[in-house]
Amino acid sequence: MKKYLYLFCIALLASSCYEANLDCKSFKTGTYLSEISIQGKKHYTTSIRTDKMVIETYKGKTDTASIRWVNDCEFILTKLHPKTIAEQHAVSIRIRSSKKNSYTFDYGIVGNPHREQGKATKLTN
């Protein structure tokens, strides 16, 4: 029993020392290459993010969206010129961890609990 208690204490100490690196402020503007996986296939989007909008290019098609920061690590995108009812739904993006020039994120339709994951790499400031 003491052995298990000892191992539990070591595990608790080790986990309490771990803190995910999270520097969201450096990712508010710039040019990014985002990667997501849909049904096991990787998809890439290039985006240019300013303080007020995002210009995204996916499969040769360019679209614009307004950006609203909820906090330093979460923002909401709303398409400026939606062509379908599905495009009218805003998308919430949360930065989960970051490295020097990249971050992992989860995203989903605002109000829908289902979320997917992705990775973005900052190409330029």
Side-chain angles (χ1 to χ4, degrees):
M1 184 68 175
K2 282 187 177 184
K3 179 180 175 182
Y4 292 115
L5 182 60
Y6 177 74
L7 289 175
F8 175 75
C9 289
I10 295 295
L12 184 62
L13 282 173
S15 66
S16 66
C17 294
Y18 175 77
E19 183 178 315
N21 187 17
L22 196 57
D23 173 25
C24 301
K25 289 182 181 181
S26 64
F27 296 109
K28 287 202 171 192
T29 61
T31 302
Y32 298 88
L33 177 65
S34 299
E35 173 188 315
I36 61 169
S37 181
I38 300 174
Q39 296 177 345
K41 186 176 179 186
K42 291 184 179 183
H43 294 267
Y44 299 91
T45 301
T46 303
S47 59
I48 300 169
R49 189 181 307 151
T50 68
D51 290 331
K52 298 188 188 249
M53 74 180 333
V54 175
I55 302 168
E56 292 185 331
T57 303
Y58 174 69
K59 291 187 175 181
K61 295 183 181 181
T62 301
D63 209 346
T64 56
S66 64
I67 186 169
R68 180 174 59 88
W69 287 89
V70 177
N71 57 49
D72 285 340
C73 296
E74 182 175 2
F75 56 94
I76 295 175
L77 299 178
T78 306
K79 289 205 177 210
L80 294 179
H81 307 287
K83 295 175 181 72
T84 66
I85 292 174
E87 289 182 351
Q88 292 177 4
H89 297 288
V91 176
S92 167
I93 299 174
R94 288 186 285 217
I95 299 173
R96 293 300 189 185
S97 66
S98 63
K99 293 184 180 179
K100 183 177 179 180
N101 69 335
S102 66
Y103 63 88
T104 58
F105 61 93
D106 66 37
Y107 66 97
I109 302 296
V110 172
N112 186 337
H114 179 76
R115 301 195 62 89
E116 298 287 337
Q117 288 80 40
K119 179 181 178 182
T121 302
K122 191 170 190 177
L123 304 175
T124 64
N125 287 328

